[in-house]
Amino acid sequence: MNPAKPGETARTPWIVGVSGASGTPYAASVLRALLTAGESVDLVVSRAARLTLLDETGISFRDAHWRTDLREWLARGADGKPDSFAVDLDATRYWNAGDLAAGPSSGSYPAKGMLIVPASTACVAGVALGLSKDLLQRAASVTLKEGRPLVVSVRETPLNGTTLRHLVALDDAGAAVVPASPAFYAGATHIQHLVDFVAGRVLDAAGVPHGLYRRWAGELGSASRTTS
């Protein structure tokens, strides 16, 4: 990475890892919100995530055309409707999950932290055990060893004892575990609201400002008045 020129600000991105669990709309919402907040993003999409993305959206994520494919993905709503969102990818960089020489594989590469959304149980196990079998897992291990924020949004059910122990290990290592569990007190009336709630909680754990959901203000019944 080239150093910043005089008068320029060094690029320090959030690394976003997308694993193969169902829930690609969660990742899309997180990515859009980061870019809207003016953050730079380094994206890593696992091989399994490509299959999930194809299954859930019909989009083939291709290395040679990642910008076109990512724009199509992020413009799509959680209900599958295309062109629901405007997308600016100028602050985005993509790394192939098989590239273990990529920038995020090193602790000397500047980054604010990493968000894994959605996180499969296989991904959780790999990060908890320090396997570093691909760039996503390696970047997560680097994030932990450098003391940077790591947010893991696990999206599997039910969770067995092995996975629960892996999640405890990640918590012990300093990661924030944010299950992809939508809540209803924000007055959701659309699938996008439920998706955005989870994405918002992921960003809350990372300390990134956003306006994805209505926050609890201590007033009972406010959600029902919102939906009426």
Side-chain angles (χ1 to χ4, degrees):
M1 182 175 180
N2 295 326
K5 298 178 181 179
E8 292 183 344
T9 301
R11 182 179 184 275
T12 308
W14 283 97
I15 301 167
V16 177
V18 184
S19 79
S22 176
T24 55
Y26 294 128
S29 182
V30 166
L31 287 164
R32 285 193 300 265
L34 285 171
L35 295 172
T36 298
E39 300 286 351
S40 295
V41 172
D42 276 21
L43 176 64
V44 181
V45 180
S46 75
R47 292 179 61 185
R50 293 174 188 243
L51 298 177
T52 305
L53 183 63
L54 179 62
D55 182 57
E56 294 184 346
T57 70
I59 297 171
S60 296
F61 197 88
R62 303 160 294 176
D63 287 345
H65 305 280
W66 71 266
R67 191 173 294 274
T68 298
D69 298 337
L70 180 60
R71 180 174 287 105
E72 181 183 359
W73 174 24
L74 299 192
R76 187 180 298 261
D79 58 0
K81 184 179 178 180
D83 301 321
S84 297
F85 298 94
V87 181
D88 183 351
L89 300 179
D90 286 348
T92 307
R93 185 171 186 177
Y94 167 71
W95 300 94
N96 182 284
D99 184 3
L100 291 176
S105 68
S106 172
S108 66
Y109 183 80
K112 290 185 177 180
M114 183 173 184
L115 316 175
I116 304 178
V117 54
S120 65
T121 53
C123 175
V124 166
V127 176
L129 298 173
L131 298 183
S132 295
K133 75 177 186 66
D134 62 8
L135 179 59
L136 194 159
Q137 292 184 15
R138 171 60 184 168
S141 294
V142 167
T143 300
L144 288 175
K145 81 179 182 68
E146 295 296 322
R148 298 167 183 162
L150 174 64
V151 183
V152 179
S153 184
V154 60
R155 214 256 25 106
E156 296 278 7
T157 189
L159 297 173
N160 62 26
T162 299
T163 299
L164 291 170
R165 285 187 287 272
H166 288 154
L167 291 172
V168 169
L170 289 177
D171 178 78
D172 289 342
V177 177
V178 181
S181 302
F184 296 87
Y185 63 76
T189 59
H190 189 279
I191 186 174
Q192 189 66 56
H193 299 152
L194 296 174
V195 167
D196 286 347
F197 178 87
V198 171
R201 295 300 287 152
V202 169
L203 294 170
D204 287 344
V208 178
H210 65 86
L212 289 176
Y213 68 88
R214 185 182 64 81
R215 297 183 181 278
W216 175 249
E219 184 180 358
L220 292 175
S222 57
S224 61
R225 287 195 294 274
T226 301
T227 58
S228 62

